[in-house]
Amino acid sequence: MKFLHLSDLHIGKTVNGFSMIEEQRHVFRQVTRYIQTEHPSAVVIAGDVYDRAAPGIEAVRVFDDFLTELSREDMAVLLVSGNHDSPDRLNYASRLLSDKRIHMRGVFDGSLRSVTLADGYGEVNFWLLPFIKPTSVHGMYARREIESYDDALAAALESASIDYTERNVLVSHQFYTKAGVTALRSESELNPVGGLDAISADLISAFDYVALGHLHGFQTVGYEHIRYAGSPIKYSLSEWRQEKSVSLVELREKGSLAVTALPLTPLHDMRTIKGKIDVLTSDSISSQGDRDDYLRVVLTDEEEIINPMAKLRSVYPNVMALDFDNSRKGVDAGALSANSDKIDSLSPFDLFSEFFLETSGAVMSEEQSEIVRELLETTEDQ
Ligand SMILES: [Mn+2]
């Protein structure tokens, strides 16, 4: 049985103030094309469909279009919620959609349940586990103490009677780790402090394949068959070196597994360039790559530059972040001031970003940007 494993779509996400919606439409078209050539029996989406609990209109439209495209193919769609999703919103109409072979498990009610598909080798049970926390399942299991993420997962697994002599796939959105294995992390993942959310991969090693979501880099977790597919798009500058893909998983008889990473190409790539501003903005250098790429620029100039962001963006419109690597390292606040006629044309978020850069000398992190966006949304609502 062949199926595609995707995760962390984060539909509606903006990265450093740039909307990723066109990038998302672009990679979903590629996924649809892979389905038409590979004819999988299912598409598995392992959580973080949306970037936020209350997604915007554009995000809902893009997912609606994608789901409609998927429903046209002769296959099942299997989906769980991630930590970014609202379980209940994702669960909306899920009982109706299951008649269309679209199985969306947003809410976990204490019992782990499966969807069974069949091929020439027999049946494959796909166990759909939405994102859980110890506090969210606490109280669902009267006879158990649930103190850690490990406890929560163990209780969820015990709620199902899984016959491990059959072929079983677990779909889950959690942070799984294995002793001795260092996880590849990205800034765009939202993490509780201190790794308290880690769950031992040993708890899930008896499955034939584990389709994971949460980490944004494509990776295994100590076992070849326990895998993060990674996000389909680079969602933070920390991911600029990663190759993005969708995983094509093939299960034959029990014990046989093959995974192929099918590459996904962005509309605009994300990369870092470093050097003096005059060199970087020169024709000979800027023409070597796509000027529309999302860039982190590291300037090595020693002398003061007036409004470097505006200079860079006149050549590279999608500069996402600006850093300095020179003997001063810090940034002279006066040098970066947005000129006053520009202020009217900037969004409150962009204005704040520039203000932050000017006063702190650093570009806001993904987490800081998120806080500011949420604050701005709250004020706009009033
Ligand atoms: Mn995610």
Side-chain angles (χ1 to χ4, degrees), residues 8 10 47-48 83-84 173 188-190 214-216:
D8 297 272
H10 287 268
D48 282 356
N83 54 315
H84 281 250
H173 186 99
S188 55
E189 298 150 10
L190 205 62
H214 191 47
L215 301 190
H216 289 184

Side-chain angles (χ1 to χ4, degrees), residues 56-83:
I57 290 167
E58 196 64 8
V60 176
R61 282 183 186 155
V62 167
F63 184 52
D64 185 46
D65 287 346
F66 185 41
L67 210 53
T68 304
E69 285 298 321
L70 295 180
S71 75
R72 290 192 177 128
E73 308 300 328
D74 180 24
M75 55 162 205
V77 177
L78 308 165
L79 179 158
V80 301
S81 57
N83 54 315

Side-chain angles (χ1 to χ4, degrees), residues 70-373:
L70 295 180
S71 75
R72 290 192 177 128
E73 308 300 328
D74 180 24
M75 55 162 205
V77 177
L78 308 165
L79 179 158
V80 301
S81 57
N83 54 315
H84 281 250
D85 296 307
S86 155
D88 286 284
R89 289 199 173 99
L90 209 59
N91 228 48
Y92 175 78
S94 57
R95 281 164 294 181
L96 299 176
L97 287 170
S98 63
D99 292 343
K100 295 246 165 222
R101 303 179 71 198
I102 296 173
H103 302 274
M104 308 217 287
R105 205 65 46 88
V107 175
F108 183 63
D109 61 6
S111 340
L112 178 62
R113 278 188 290 270
S114 65
V115 171
T116 300
L117 304 179
D119 65 4
Y121 297 98
E123 294 186 331
V124 178
N125 309 307
F126 289 83
W127 299 92
L128 305 182
L129 178 63
F131 174 71
I132 54 170
K133 288 192 268 196
T135 47
S136 67
V137 300
H138 178 85
M140 287 178 181
Y141 308 103
R143 285 174 301 158
R144 279 188 82 112
E145 291 271 331
I146 311 275
E147 280 166 358
S148 65
Y149 275 78
D150 269 351
D151 293 344
L153 198 278
L157 290 179
E158 267 181 33
S159 71
S161 45
I162 304 171
D163 179 353
Y164 286 105
T165 66
E166 295 177 354
R167 290 179 298 166
N168 294 288
V169 174
L170 175 67
V171 183
S172 173
H173 186 99
Q174 309 281 158
F175 177 34
Y176 290 94
T177 57
K178 169 98 176 122
V181 179
T182 310
L184 171 66
R185 308 298 316 256
S186 310
E187 278 168 17
S188 55
E189 298 150 10
L190 205 62
N191 307 304
V193 193
L196 292 174
D197 54 337
I199 298 176
S200 167
D202 295 336
L203 290 173
I204 51 172
S205 61
F207 287 90
D208 295 274
Y209 183 77
V210 183
L212 293 176
H214 191 47
L215 301 190
H216 289 184
F218 171 70
Q219 60 200 290
T220 59
V221 189
Y223 299 89
E224 276 301 299
H225 67 289
I226 303 182
R227 285 175 181 258
Y228 287 97
S231 57
I233 291 168
K234 298 175 189 182
Y235 280 137
S236 67
L237 288 160
S238 68
E239 293 161 57
W240 72 281
R241 285 177 195 277
Q242 293 180 11
E243 299 287 340
K244 296 301 187 180
S245 60
V246 47
S247 298
L248 175 67
V249 182
E250 209 168 339
L251 294 174
R252 293 198 190 91
E253 70 281 3
K254 174 106 185 150
S256 149
L257 169 74
V259 182
T260 316
L262 305 175
L264 295 172
T265 317
L267 218 44
H268 306 306
D269 203 0
M270 195 178 274
R271 56 194 171 98
T272 296
I273 57 172
K274 182 173 175 175
K276 290 199 184 329
I277 193 161
D278 289 342
V279 177
L280 295 181
T281 53
S282 67
D283 254 3
S284 58
I285 293 298
S286 65
S287 61
Q288 286 177 15
D290 185 344
R291 290 188 177 101
D292 288 329
D293 282 350
Y294 302 112
L295 297 182
R296 171 175 175 249
V297 180
V298 183
L299 292 179
T300 57
D301 299 80
E302 287 295 337
E303 51 290 334
E304 216 169 87
I305 307 162
I306 296 164
N307 210 345
M309 193 53 123
K311 269 194 184 123
L312 287 166
R313 282 192 176 151
S314 70
V315 178
Y316 305 103
N318 297 330
V319 175
M320 282 188 161
L322 176 58
D323 289 316
F324 289 85
D325 185 7
N326 57 24
S327 56
R328 288 180 295 150
K329 206 64 168 156
V331 179
D332 182 350
L336 285 166
S337 289
N339 46 45
S340 53
D341 51 308
K342 205 174 116 192
I343 286 175
D344 289 339
S345 65
L346 288 176
S347 70
F349 178 82
D350 289 337
L351 269 177
F352 187 86
S353 303
E354 289 220 14
F355 168 74
F356 186 89
L357 179 65
E358 285 181 19
T359 50
S360 71
V363 172
M364 278 196 289
S365 70
E366 197 46 44
E367 205 177 346
Q368 288 163 333
S369 305
E370 192 57 35
I371 293 167
V372 173
R373 257 194 298 273

